[in-house]
Amino acid sequence: MEFETIIGLEVHAQLLTRSKMFCGCSAAYQTAEPNTHVCPVCLGLPGALPVINREAVAYTIMAGLSLGCSIPSYSKFDRKNYMYPDLMKGYQISQYDLPLCVNGVFEFPTANGTGRVGIRRVHLEEDTARLVHRASNGRSYSLVDANRSGVPLIEIVTEPDLRSPEEARSFLVALRQVLRYLGVSTGNMEEGAFRCDANISQRSTDGTVVGPKVEIKNMNSFRAVERALHYEIERQRAALRNGETLVQETRGWLDDQGITVSQRTKEFAEDYRYFPEPDLPPLYLTEEDVAGIRARMPELPAARRARFAAQYGLSESDAALLTEERAVADYFESVVDGNQALARDAANWITGEIFALMRDQDLAIDEINVSPQQLRRLITLVTDGTITMRSAKEVLAAVHETGRDPDAIVEERGLAQVSDAAQLAEVVKTVLAENPAAVADYRKGKKAAIGFLLGQVMRHMRGTANPAVARQLLEQALEDEG
Ligand SMILES: [Zn+2]
């Protein structure tokens, strides 16, 4: 029997507002001492009244617009009632039947072209407190840190349009990129700022067998999502082929063991007894409100990628590399600064030397100690023949280490390119005298030996010899004396 996989995702992303969703406490919960960013509202004390964070509403609408959603003119908050130690009030303020954003379509790049997924809704809610589980003297206990309680959270729910773990991962990567471009979320999965649950089921291609929907939780990286979904596909297909009964349930991914395990079965839909939040007014949004929020949005990754390829004549892959992070794309455009002729070189330098520097030293682009102006100057020094490419790499490293300008470093280290034929001829003479074997090889017809000899000239000149002039002088000398 042949099966098709049906996947829908629910993604939670913390918003990067300064204050929490319904109170003035700082939302920067990760760096603070436990239970220091708290007040009666986010501790859920009786009588405390919530106030809506306007910026969180704007961020949610930006996310929705980026995902092609429409923004209804009327929205409201609801109480979702359940009991858990991390839920300070005994209910979560969320949105039930009238979310801020609905009915989107989002296209994203995949290994096989363009993926497309329906976005059912994007709604705004509050995060719970954080539980820390400890054990000592054979007893286990849990600590509650309410700093995270009330941090704004959006939930993005897709339609069940995804067909493979790879496609699900590509969607998540693209979604996170959009949220980061908007500056509304860090999208950091390891820190829990971007969390994903997946619903996955199997359907036989002839339509006769439809397996139940299983929800997978606990996936803390893109890789974990892909692995967990692969595992589930195999588990569900094997069971269906063997005629076993699969149940609708929630399963947790155990990353170290590479398996999912049953957490709870969903025989009945959970009853959260939703009702409209009586302490908050409904939200009315005019077209002008939405237009004002749209006007604050930056150019999004897909549009910027396409523009980079068209405007700067870059390859698809360079355009993708340079637009992966908004800060890198900004850096590139600052280097080029309207001078189209610099675009190719700037792209090569950034995707080559700058990325290597970032990788080696584990730095973000804004932590690189080379300003766009300094990189532009460095590129110009190479193109106008002042320094060789080899020296340029040394200068780049020195700029990063010292923060000094390329011209000063070139001057100080004597890295100016030497094109003077008389000076280079002397060096060529020395090199030929020092390397009789290579000279003999060349004269026997092994023309490749000139590469080695050119390298020796460069070594003598500490990389400053004009390679074209040096090569010409070498060829001339070898022919003359041959
Ligand atoms: Zn508070």
Side-chain angles (χ1 to χ4, degrees):
M1 196 180 290
E2 289 301 313
F3 288 102
E4 182 182 31
T5 298
I6 316 291
I7 299 169
L9 300 177
E10 292 171 13
V11 179
H12 284 93
Q14 281 171 351
L15 296 181
L16 275 173
T17 51
R18 279 200 303 276
S19 58
K20 290 187 184 181
M21 187 58 230
F22 299 114
C23 61
C25 293
S26 165
Y29 68 93
Q30 267 155 338
T31 48
E33 285 293 300
N35 299 309
T36 53
H37 291 181
V38 293
C39 73
V41 172
C42 55
L43 285 174
L45 300 186
L49 288 173
V51 176
I52 297 169
N53 183 330
R54 292 176 72 100
E55 196 65 348
V57 173
Y59 283 6
T60 308
I61 292 172
M62 284 189 203
L65 291 172
S66 306
L67 299 172
C69 291
S70 14
I71 313 300
S73 56
Y74 176 72
S75 179
K76 69 176 171 67
F77 287 98
D78 300 276
R79 283 193 187 179
K80 180 182 182 180
N81 299 279
Y82 66 96
M83 285 295 170
Y84 203 70
D86 64 8
L87 192 62
M88 308 309 288
K89 297 191 290 292
Y91 60 85
Q92 178 188 30
I93 303 180
S94 181
Q95 297 195 284
Y96 183 51
D97 52 342
L98 295 168
L100 276 165
C101 320
V102 295
N103 297 334
V105 175
F106 180 58
E107 292 190 341
F108 54 94
T110 71
N112 314 314
T114 301
R116 190 179 159 89
V117 67
I119 304 294
R120 186 174 294 169
R121 58 188 284 158
V122 182
H123 73 250
L124 180 55
E125 57 189 30
E126 55 177 336
D127 210 345
T128 58
R130 203 168 63 91
L131 293 180
V132 182
H133 304 290
R134 293 269 165 77
S136 68
N137 300 327
R139 292 179 58 214
S140 61
Y141 58 97
S142 298
L143 301 169
V144 181
D145 177 7
N147 284 349
R148 200 180 71 179
S149 174
V151 167
L153 200 62
I154 52 173
E155 181 172 340
I156 298 147
V157 183
T158 78
E159 297 294 346
D161 293 342
L162 301 163
R163 292 292 172 268
S164 71
E166 292 74 20
E167 198 185 15
R169 180 186 182 144
S170 298
F171 164 71
L172 287 171
V173 168
L175 171 64
R176 185 178 77 154
Q177 186 187 34
V178 165
L179 298 180
R180 289 168 60 92
Y181 256 69
L182 292 171
V184 302
S185 179
T186 64
N188 190 319
M189 273 188 117
E190 283 72 21
E191 289 176 2
F194 187 85
R195 322 198 270 267
C196 170
D197 300 330
N199 288 300
I200 178 168
S201 61
Q202 301 299 314
R203 180 166 69 190
S204 65
T205 45
D206 62 5
T208 55
V209 179
V210 179
K213 199 168 76 176
V214 173
E215 183 177 22
I216 315 293
K217 289 183 173 290
N218 247 352
M219 300 169 291
N220 297 325
S221 65
F222 291 127
R223 185 163 173 269
V225 171
E226 202 176 325
R227 288 176 68 212
L229 292 176
H230 271 297
Y231 175 85
E232 259 313 291
I233 290 171
E234 291 315 311
R235 187 188 74 83
Q236 292 180 13
R237 287 184 180 180
L240 291 169
R241 287 201 180 97
N242 296 336
E244 291 164 29
T245 311
L246 280 171
V247 291
Q248 182 175 338
E249 62 180 340
T250 299
R251 298 177 71 87
W253 169 246
L254 303 180
D255 201 59
D256 47 350
Q257 295 176 47
I259 58 168
T260 63
V261 291
S262 184
Q263 288 183 329
R264 57 195 155 104
T265 52
K266 272 192 180 169
E267 287 180 47
F268 304 98
E270 285 154 287
D271 182 7
Y272 290 117
R273 297 177 295 117
Y274 278 102
F275 62 84
E277 169 57 57
D279 291 338
L280 291 173
L283 289 164
Y284 294 93
L285 292 153
T286 64
E287 277 176 31
E288 293 76 59
D289 292 334
V290 176
I293 291 166
R294 192 189 287 277
R296 289 174 55 191
M297 290 164 56
E299 184 180 27
L300 293 173
R304 203 166 194 188
R305 195 162 55 235
R307 180 170 65 79
F308 271 29
Q311 179 179 341
Y312 297 115
L314 302 177
S315 67
E316 291 290 322
S317 63
D318 276 354
L321 279 173
L322 290 168
T323 54
E324 200 172 300
E325 293 273 347
R326 183 176 158 192
V328 171
D330 289 345
Y331 186 91
F332 168 79
E333 294 210 278
S334 295
V335 174
V336 176
D337 194 28
N339 184 353
Q340 295 286 122
L342 275 178
R344 286 292 180 86
D345 284 332
N348 288 339
W349 272 94
I350 293 169
T351 59
E353 299 301 314
I354 297 284
F355 279 5
L357 193 63
M358 289 163 63
R359 254 196 322 274
D360 291 349
Q361 304 190 18
D362 196 22
L363 298 171
I365 189 91
D366 49 10
E367 294 169 316
I368 293 283
N369 199 18
V370 180
S371 70
Q373 295 72 24
Q374 287 171 324
L375 182 57
R376 183 167 61 238
R377 179 63 190 150
L378 184 60
I379 292 170
T380 310
L381 289 174
V382 177
T383 41
D384 72 9
T386 306
I387 56 174
T388 63
M389 192 63 191
R390 186 174 139 165
S391 299
K393 292 179 185 184
E394 182 183 335
V395 174
L396 180 78
V399 172
H400 175 62
E401 272 166 39
T402 64
R404 303 183 59 208
D405 283 337
D407 290 276
I409 291 162
V410 169
E411 168 78 34
E412 188 178 273
R413 301 196 179 189
L415 291 174
Q417 175 162 263
V418 177
S419 304
D420 180 67
Q423 191 182 345
L424 289 178
E426 282 303 307
V427 180
V428 164
K429 212 167 156 186
T430 314
V431 165
L432 294 186
E434 282 173 3
N435 298 281
V439 173
D441 280 350
Y442 182 89
R443 286 177 180 151
K444 272 184 257 158
K446 273 180 73 180
K447 301 291 178 195
I450 199 162
F452 169 77
L453 293 168
L454 186 57
Q456 294 305 305
V457 173
M458 277 294 180
R459 193 173 64 82
H460 271 270
M461 296 293 295
R462 292 180 18 262
T464 60
N466 180 323
V469 177
R471 175 180 282 269
Q472 204 194 345
L473 288 168
L474 267 172
E475 278 170 354
Q476 210 180 334
L478 288 161
E479 298 305 326
D480 284 353
E481 294 170 30

